[in-house]
Amino acid sequence: MQRLARARGAAAQAVVSEPAWHEPRLRALAGWAARVVVVPAPLFAGISALDSPAQIGFVLDLPPAASVQAAAATVVLDRLQDPGNVGSVLRSAAAFGVAQVLALKGSVALWSPKVLRAAWERTSACGWPRAGRGRAGSAASAARGHQFTRRAGTAAGRLALALCWVLGHEGQGVSATLLARCALQVRIPQPGGEESLNVAAAAAVCLYESARQHAGALGAGSTARRQKG
């Protein structure tokens, strides 16, 4: 929460339970908000969706919608509905340098609480990719200038770093409309014999492989974290 508050600047409002207000650390954290509201503990429990909330919450303004960048590395979410999957994809996108994520109609809201909880440790520290809603036409626009790629099918050779990866619905896969626009299919070898990977796991593998094939895309950051640890 502290890293997110610092990354996003002043919050519009902090909501703090009465017991938390008497804790110096949480009171100081609430000071990043323009306005602070202190409520009884039972009322705060009714506000939070968590079983054991942190007793402090913030109201943050959503970032303005960004225009689609045609030549940027992109992930397109085609009707992904599980918040945990989407949050994990956002974390992988941030880790491997993807510049933008487009969630097409039918996908879970990128700023929903469950998505944020799944994504936030990574993205709050390093910044979100540009994230927003889009249409199939927006996805096609993002593909101009580089390959439009989906995960499935045949083995791939060398991958460009600025790919547009299309990740489809957990059960139905990529829609026929988007599939027709894809130029390349890739397969992830699974020697263990499982039928398929979870979409979030497959996304992490694909994004890692895209970055791995380009010198310097991963090495510096990964080495620095290992040395620090």
Side-chain angles (χ1 to χ4, degrees):
M1 180 69 75
Q2 186 173 0
R3 287 178 297 178
L4 182 60
R6 286 173 174 169
R8 295 297 313 279
Q13 180 173 289
V15 181
V16 189
S17 71
E18 289 176 342
W21 184 246
H22 297 293
E23 297 184 25
R25 180 178 63 87
L26 293 179
R27 181 180 291 205
L29 182 59
W32 275 312
R35 181 169 178 259
V36 178
V37 176
V38 180
V39 299
L43 180 57
F44 189 93
I47 295 173
S48 175
L50 299 175
D51 293 333
S52 301
Q55 301 300 310
I56 184 169
F58 291 89
V59 177
L60 300 173
D61 293 328
L62 296 183
S67 59
V68 174
Q69 303 297 310
T74 303
V75 169
V76 174
L77 307 179
D78 180 22
R79 298 165 296 131
L80 265 66
Q81 298 180 347
D82 183 86
N85 283 339
V86 172
S88 294
V89 171
L90 287 173
R91 290 183 67 171
S92 294
F96 297 122
V98 173
Q100 63 187 353
V101 176
L102 300 178
L104 303 187
K105 183 178 180 180
S107 297
V108 67
L110 297 182
W111 295 98
S112 68
K114 290 184 178 180
V115 170
L116 289 176
R117 285 199 294 273
W120 105 328
E121 179 179 352
R122 176 66 186 157
T123 52
S124 63
C126 300
W128 291 83
R130 284 189 300 273
R133 287 286 179 179
R135 299 179 179 177
S138 300
S141 175
R144 294 183 190 130
H146 55 72
Q147 288 177 301
F148 195 45
T149 306
R150 67 184 174 92
R151 52 159 202 91
T154 60
R158 187 163 180 81
L159 300 169
L161 184 59
L163 283 173
C164 183
W165 289 98
V166 182
L167 307 175
H169 182 277
E170 290 88 346
Q172 301 170 9
V174 179
S175 70
T177 300
L178 288 181
L179 207 57
R181 296 178 180 269
C182 296
L184 179 66
Q185 302 179 45
V186 298
R187 174 184 294 125
I188 300 173
Q190 298 177 74
E194 290 296 322
E195 180 180 353
S196 65
L197 288 176
N198 171 279
V199 65
V205 172
C206 292
L207 296 177
Y208 169 80
E209 182 61 16
S210 288
R212 186 195 67 80
Q213 291 187 11
H214 295 265
L218 287 176
S222 298
T223 301
R225 283 192 292 275
R226 285 198 297 270
Q227 291 174 346
K228 184 177 181 181

